């Protein structure tokens, strides 16, 4: 048993900044240095569980691929199902797709068309909110299926990129940490 006392500042300082990854000018927030510590990993899952436990979540959606890590642990604790949103060509059955703009070009994500029902209460989880493009594409997929109750969660939010402004009016957004 790891009895180390963990708080939000310990989680924050356990995230590693990798300069110029995946390209020049980006400071990549590497969560692997946080989640490899069992006490930090447990603290993060427990904090998110406590925040969402009374919201009636029936499905947690994780966005490929770092969204699968806390997303699936959280689904287990919430007694909810887990649904992956993936890059094109990875999901084997019929999917619906959504494209979104990147700095240069576009990207696409997809979900199995039968993964959710319109009476689900959904929590979309990703490791990090930057500009908000990825999560907006995820909300479009969920809306196309007809889900009306959607929460959004991140482990890390980069305030200076103002991704939250694209979401706040329509969704309840909660981030464990903000830089
Ligand atoms: P965005 O669509 O701009 O909000 O970007 C969010 C997605 O890109 C998430 O899936 C993140 O994992 C990844 N991402 C973007 N910027 C960073 C960053 N600085 N550090 C780590 N991951 C990032």
């Amino acid at each position: 048993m790891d009895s180390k006392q963990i708080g939000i500042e310990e989680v924050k300082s356990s995230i590693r900044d990798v300069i110029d990854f995946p390209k020049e000018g980006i400071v990549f927030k590497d969560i692997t240095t946080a989640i490899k510590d069992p006490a930090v990993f447990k603290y993060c899952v427990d904090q998110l569980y406590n925040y969402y436990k009374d919201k009636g979540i029936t499905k947690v959606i994780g966005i490929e691929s770092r969204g699968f890590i806390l997303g699936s642990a959280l689904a287990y604790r919430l007694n909810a199902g887990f649904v992956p949103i993936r890059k094109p060509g990875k999901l084997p059955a019929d999917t619906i797709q959504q494209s979104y703009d990147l700095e240069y070009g576009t990207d696409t994500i997809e979900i199995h068309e039968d993964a959710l029902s319109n009476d689900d209460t959904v929590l979309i989880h990703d490791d990090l909110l930057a500009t908000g493009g990825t999560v907006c594409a995820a909300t479009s997929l969920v809306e196309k299926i007809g889900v009306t109750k959607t929460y959004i969660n991140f482990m890390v939010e980069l305030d200076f990129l103002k991704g939250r402004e694209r979401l706040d009016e329509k969704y309840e957004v909660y981030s464990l940490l903000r830089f």
Side-chain angles (χ1 to χ4, degrees), residues 27-29 66 126-128 130-134 158:
V27 178
F28 190 86
K29 294 287 181 194
R66 288 179 295 277
D126 202 359
D127 68 322
L128 184 136
T131 65
T134 311
L158 301 182

PDB file of all heavy atoms in Angstrom, residues 27-29 66 126-128 130-134 158, ligand 1:
ATOM      1  N   VAL A  27       5.024  22.984 -26.091  1.00  0.00           N
ATOM      2  CA  VAL A  27       5.449  22.425 -24.798  1.00  0.00           C
ATOM      3  C   VAL A  27       4.453  21.316 -24.473  1.00  0.00           C
ATOM      4  O   VAL A  27       3.303  21.579 -24.130  1.00  0.00           O
ATOM      5  CB  VAL A  27       5.440  23.491 -23.686  1.00  0.00           C
ATOM      6  CG1 VAL A  27       5.849  22.851 -22.350  1.00  0.00           C
ATOM      7  CG2 VAL A  27       6.362  24.649 -24.040  1.00  0.00           C
ATOM      8  N   PHE A  28       4.896  20.079 -24.622  1.00  0.00           N
ATOM      9  CA  PHE A  28       4.016  18.927 -24.467  1.00  0.00           C
ATOM     10  C   PHE A  28       3.905  18.559 -22.992  1.00  0.00           C
ATOM     11  O   PHE A  28       4.909  18.372 -22.302  1.00  0.00           O
ATOM     12  CB  PHE A  28       4.581  17.744 -25.258  1.00  0.00           C
ATOM     13  CG  PHE A  28       3.635  16.577 -25.362  1.00  0.00           C
ATOM     14  CD1 PHE A  28       2.691  16.523 -26.371  1.00  0.00           C
ATOM     15  CD2 PHE A  28       3.690  15.540 -24.431  1.00  0.00           C
ATOM     16  CE1 PHE A  28       1.814  15.447 -26.462  1.00  0.00           C
ATOM     17  CE2 PHE A  28       2.816  14.462 -24.517  1.00  0.00           C
ATOM     18  CZ  PHE A  28       1.873  14.416 -25.532  1.00  0.00           C
ATOM     19  N   LYS A  29       2.676  18.482 -22.499  1.00  0.00           N
ATOM     20  CA  LYS A  29       2.430  18.086 -21.107  1.00  0.00           C
ATOM     21  C   LYS A  29       2.358  16.563 -21.066  1.00  0.00           C
ATOM     22  O   LYS A  29       1.354  15.973 -21.490  1.00  0.00           O
ATOM     23  CB  LYS A  29       1.107  18.685 -20.608  1.00  0.00           C
ATOM     24  CG  LYS A  29       1.121  20.192 -20.516  1.00  0.00           C
ATOM     25  CD  LYS A  29       1.971  20.638 -19.347  1.00  0.00           C
ATOM     26  CE  LYS A  29       2.002  22.142 -19.212  1.00  0.00           C
ATOM     27  NZ  LYS A  29       3.071  22.606 -18.313  1.00  0.00           N
ATOM     28  N   ARG A  66      -4.669   8.921 -25.147  1.00  0.00           N
ATOM     29  CA  ARG A  66      -4.411   9.175 -23.720  1.00  0.00           C
ATOM     30  C   ARG A  66      -5.700   9.325 -22.925  1.00  0.00           C
ATOM     31  O   ARG A  66      -5.716   9.163 -21.706  1.00  0.00           O
ATOM     32  CB  ARG A  66      -3.487  10.387 -23.535  1.00  0.00           C
ATOM     33  CG  ARG A  66      -2.053  10.093 -23.937  1.00  0.00           C
ATOM     34  CD  ARG A  66      -1.160  11.303 -23.778  1.00  0.00           C
ATOM     35  NE  ARG A  66      -1.525  12.387 -24.667  1.00  0.00           N
ATOM     36  CZ  ARG A  66      -1.142  12.487 -25.935  1.00  0.00           C
ATOM     37  NH1 ARG A  66      -0.359  11.569 -26.461  1.00  0.00           N
ATOM     38  NH2 ARG A  66      -1.530  13.507 -26.679  1.00  0.00           N
ATOM     39  N   ASP A 126     -10.795  13.499 -21.925  1.00  0.00           N
ATOM     40  CA  ASP A 126      -9.509  13.449 -22.618  1.00  0.00           C
ATOM     41  C   ASP A 126      -8.429  13.899 -21.639  1.00  0.00           C
ATOM     42  O   ASP A 126      -8.731  14.495 -20.610  1.00  0.00           O
ATOM     43  CB  ASP A 126      -9.525  14.332 -23.873  1.00  0.00           C
ATOM     44  CG  ASP A 126      -8.453  13.909 -24.882  1.00  0.00           C
ATOM     45  OD1 ASP A 126      -7.692  12.949 -24.622  1.00  0.00           O
ATOM     46  OD2 ASP A 126      -8.367  14.552 -25.944  1.00  0.00           O
ATOM     47  N   ASP A 127      -7.182  13.585 -21.966  1.00  0.00           N
ATOM     48  CA  ASP A 127      -6.117  13.951 -21.019  1.00  0.00           C
ATOM     49  C   ASP A 127      -5.949  15.453 -20.933  1.00  0.00           C
ATOM     50  O   ASP A 127      -5.677  15.982 -19.860  1.00  0.00           O
ATOM     51  CB  ASP A 127      -4.782  13.261 -21.384  1.00  0.00           C
ATOM     52  CG  ASP A 127      -4.173  13.766 -22.685  1.00  0.00           C
ATOM     53  OD1 ASP A 127      -4.926  14.044 -23.642  1.00  0.00           O
ATOM     54  OD2 ASP A 127      -2.935  13.892 -22.755  1.00  0.00           O
ATOM     55  N   LEU A 128      -6.162  16.162 -22.064  1.00  0.00           N
ATOM     56  CA  LEU A 128      -5.770  17.573 -22.082  1.00  0.00           C
ATOM     57  C   LEU A 128      -6.663  18.397 -23.009  1.00  0.00           C
ATOM     58  O   LEU A 128      -6.994  17.958 -24.107  1.00  0.00           O
ATOM     59  CB  LEU A 128      -4.307  17.655 -22.538  1.00  0.00           C
ATOM     60  CG  LEU A 128      -3.655  19.011 -22.541  1.00  0.00           C
ATOM     61  CD1 LEU A 128      -2.243  18.932 -21.953  1.00  0.00           C
ATOM     62  CD2 LEU A 128      -3.599  19.595 -23.949  1.00  0.00           C
ATOM     63  N   ALA A 130      -6.567  21.728 -25.144  1.00  0.00           N
ATOM     64  CA  ALA A 130      -5.708  22.790 -25.694  1.00  0.00           C
ATOM     65  C   ALA A 130      -6.630  23.786 -26.404  1.00  0.00           C
ATOM     66  O   ALA A 130      -7.297  24.578 -25.744  1.00  0.00           O
ATOM     67  CB  ALA A 130      -4.651  22.181 -26.600  1.00  0.00           C
ATOM     68  N   THR A 131      -6.736  23.719 -27.733  1.00  0.00           N
ATOM     69  CA  THR A 131      -7.606  24.676 -28.441  1.00  0.00           C
ATOM     70  C   THR A 131      -9.083  24.268 -28.408  1.00  0.00           C
ATOM     71  O   THR A 131      -9.957  25.056 -28.739  1.00  0.00           O
ATOM     72  CB  THR A 131      -7.197  24.784 -29.918  1.00  0.00           C
ATOM     73  OG1 THR A 131      -7.440  23.507 -30.543  1.00  0.00           O
ATOM     74  CG2 THR A 131      -5.736  25.158 -30.075  1.00  0.00           C
ATOM     75  N   GLY A 132      -9.349  23.017 -28.072  1.00  0.00           N
ATOM     76  CA  GLY A 132     -10.731  22.542 -27.991  1.00  0.00           C
ATOM     77  C   GLY A 132     -11.256  21.898 -29.264  1.00  0.00           C
ATOM     78  O   GLY A 132     -12.385  21.408 -29.290  1.00  0.00           O
ATOM     79  N   GLY A 133     -10.440  21.858 -30.320  1.00  0.00           N
ATOM     80  CA  GLY A 133     -10.899  21.279 -31.587  1.00  0.00           C
ATOM     81  C   GLY A 133     -11.296  19.811 -31.460  1.00  0.00           C
ATOM     82  O   GLY A 133     -12.334  19.384 -31.988  1.00  0.00           O
ATOM     83  N   THR A 134     -10.468  19.047 -30.767  1.00  0.00           N
ATOM     84  CA  THR A 134     -10.727  17.608 -30.641  1.00  0.00           C
ATOM     85  C   THR A 134     -12.019  17.355 -29.880  1.00  0.00           C
ATOM     86  O   THR A 134     -12.876  16.571 -30.311  1.00  0.00           O
ATOM     87  CB  THR A 134      -9.558  16.920 -29.893  1.00  0.00           C
ATOM     88  OG1 THR A 134      -8.330  17.328 -30.481  1.00  0.00           O
ATOM     89  CG2 THR A 134      -9.686  15.413 -29.950  1.00  0.00           C
ATOM     90  N   LEU A 158      -5.076  23.757 -20.597  1.00  0.00           N
ATOM     91  CA  LEU A 158      -4.128  24.846 -20.865  1.00  0.00           C
ATOM     92  C   LEU A 158      -4.938  26.126 -21.044  1.00  0.00           C
ATOM     93  O   LEU A 158      -5.503  26.380 -22.110  1.00  0.00           O
ATOM     94  CB  LEU A 158      -3.300  24.546 -22.125  1.00  0.00           C
ATOM     95  CG  LEU A 158      -2.471  23.253 -22.085  1.00  0.00           C
ATOM     96  CD1 LEU A 158      -1.667  23.088 -23.376  1.00  0.00           C
ATOM     97  CD2 LEU A 158      -1.542  23.235 -20.872  1.00  0.00           C
TER      98      LEU A 158
HETATM   99  P1  LIG B   1      -6.967  20.453 -28.951  1.00  0.00           P
HETATM  100  O1  LIG B   1      -7.828  19.762 -29.955  1.00  0.00           O
HETATM  101  O2  LIG B   1      -6.181  21.592 -29.494  1.00  0.00           O
HETATM  102  O3  LIG B   1      -7.750  20.837 -27.706  1.00  0.00           O
HETATM  103  O4  LIG B   1      -5.859  19.392 -28.492  1.00  0.00           O
HETATM  104  C1  LIG B   1      -6.172  18.406 -27.588  1.00  0.00           C
HETATM  105  C2  LIG B   1      -5.588  17.075 -27.982  1.00  0.00           C
HETATM  106  O5  LIG B   1      -4.250  17.179 -28.414  1.00  0.00           O
HETATM  107  C3  LIG B   1      -5.595  16.149 -26.780  1.00  0.00           C
HETATM  108  O6  LIG B   1      -5.972  14.843 -27.214  1.00  0.00           O
HETATM  109  C4  LIG B   1      -4.175  16.192 -26.268  1.00  0.00           C
HETATM  110  O7  LIG B   1      -3.727  14.907 -25.898  1.00  0.00           O
HETATM  111  C5  LIG B   1      -3.334  16.730 -27.424  1.00  0.00           C
HETATM  112  N1  LIG B   1      -2.517  17.896 -27.046  1.00  0.00           N
HETATM  113  C6  LIG B   1      -2.602  19.138 -27.584  1.00  0.00           C
HETATM  114  N2  LIG B   1      -1.687  19.968 -27.067  1.00  0.00           N
HETATM  115  C7  LIG B   1      -1.003  19.245 -26.154  1.00  0.00           C
HETATM  116  C8  LIG B   1       0.075  19.551 -25.231  1.00  0.00           C
HETATM  117  N3  LIG B   1       0.630  20.771 -25.175  1.00  0.00           N
HETATM  118  N4  LIG B   1       0.500  18.572 -24.425  1.00  0.00           N
HETATM  119  C9  LIG B   1      -0.052  17.336 -24.474  1.00  0.00           C
HETATM  120  N5  LIG B   1      -1.052  16.989 -25.313  1.00  0.00           N
HETATM  121  C10 LIG B   1      -1.535  17.923 -26.147  1.00  0.00           C
END
